[in-house]
Amino acid sequence: GQNIDQPTEMTATEGAIVQINCTYQTSGFNGLFWYQQHAGEAPTFLSYNVLDGLEEKGRFSSFLSRSKGYSYLLLKELQMKDSASYLCAVRDLNTGFQKLVFGTGTRLLVSP
Amino acid sequence: ETGVTQSPTHLIKTRGQQVTLRCSSQSGHNTVSWYQQALGQGPQFIFQYYREEENGRGNFPPRFSGLQFPNYSSELNVNALELDDSALYLCASSPHRQDGTEAFFGQGTRLTVV
């Protein structure tokens, strides 16, 4: 089966750093994605990891450990506009086609 | 903006009715996936279309069906609507490659069943 776990809610202060963790269990792992979703809007792509290690893109970084089934999204120099839900998704190829399996999302609230 | 467009943006239907949602995929993308996102939840995979054929399906009943057209646009049809079908329906297009290319989501259709 597939299981994606991430915290439901996190709070942080403007200018700070926050780390959102994601653990997963899947038999057909072929990459992990992080998406940002503002309320009522579509998810927008943030990052992709398929090999172990850290991928950095501006203020956002994402880390993957395949042996541990673990990833995190690191957001630096937080801004108010970063208040959103952050979705961890695993691409599953076990069934012969690619689909994304999403966690429930982590709602991040950035306060002044 | 991703280049994936969905219509309509909002829709209200009565229980038992049927609904059709539409999606135009990004240029060059031949694979379309549909997801259902209930309030406070992550998107759940409904099914995927590739070359006008259903390529894979999630845990949704047969009253959820779809089509893909030669121009790669797609429709999601839901029959016999139930109150629990109220959700944001997302369409995602991608190239049919198993690499790092992410799926691009449309803005979604907010369906309310009353």
Side-chain angles (χ1 to χ4, degrees):
Chain A
Q2 300 145 342
N3 196 34
I4 315 286
D5 286 316
Q6 49 182 133
T8 304
E9 202 168 278
M10 298 182 72
T11 57
T13 307
E14 198 174 12
I17 299 173
V18 71
Q19 177 175 313
I20 303 175
N21 296 324
C22 171
T23 58
Y24 65 88
Q25 292 177 315
T26 182
S27 52
F29 179 83
N30 191 257
L32 187 142
F33 296 80
W34 284 95
Y35 283 85
Q36 180 192 60
Q37 187 176 29
H38 285 99
E41 298 181 9
T44 56
F45 171 79
L46 290 177
S47 70
Y48 168 75
N49 297 70
V50 68
L51 299 177
D52 291 352
L54 188 68
E55 294 284 339
E56 295 185 83
K57 190 185 291 186
R59 295 190 298 116
F60 292 38
S61 302
S62 57
F63 171 83
L64 175 68
S65 169
R66 289 171 297 170
S67 62
K68 295 182 180 177
Y70 168 70
S71 172
Y72 68 72
L73 178 69
L74 193 70
L75 293 77
K76 304 175 186 175
E77 301 168 15
L78 280 172
Q79 302 174 8
M80 298 296 288
K81 68 178 182 179
D82 297 329
S83 292
S85 284
Y86 291 85
L87 299 165
C88 172
V90 170
R91 184 160 62 191
D92 177 13
L93 287 176
N94 193 47
T95 42
F97 63 93
Q98 55 171 309
K99 69 175 183 180
L100 293 177
V101 180
F102 285 86
T104 56
T106 298
R107 192 163 57 246
L108 174 65
L109 178 62
V110 180
S111 58
Chain B
E1 198 163 304
T2 64
V4 180
T5 57
Q6 293 185 241
S7 63
T9 55
H10 295 83
L11 198 56
I12 299 175
K13 287 286 191 177
T14 303
R15 189 172 51 183
Q17 284 188 313
Q18 179 267 342
V19 69
T20 297
L21 311 181
R22 295 179 174 84
C23 171
S24 294
S25 58
Q26 180 162 316
S27 177
H29 287 184
N30 55 19
T31 300
V32 174
S33 302
W34 285 90
Y35 292 82
Q36 180 196 65
Q37 186 176 24
L39 201 61
Q41 300 296 315
Q44 298 293 311
F45 176 79
I46 304 175
F47 45 54
Q48 181 180 96
Y49 277 82
Y50 170 64
R51 290 184 176 177
E52 303 176 53
E53 297 283 334
E54 186 179 290
N55 192 38
R57 190 176 185 91
N59 191 27
F60 280 81
R63 58 189 186 85
F64 285 77
S65 63
L67 284 173
Q68 187 181 31
F69 300 99
N71 66 354
Y72 306 134
S73 65
S74 176
E75 287 182 356
L76 163 66
N77 299 289
V78 187
N79 293 322
L81 283 167
E82 301 176 359
L83 297 180
D84 285 349
D85 296 334
S86 295
L88 181 68
Y89 288 85
L90 296 163
C91 163
S93 78
S94 59
H96 194 67
R97 297 197 308 265
Q98 297 167 3
D99 58 15
T101 305
E102 70 274 19
F104 292 92
F105 284 88
Q107 82 280 16
T109 294
R110 172 73 62 190
L111 173 65
T112 302
V113 182
V114 297

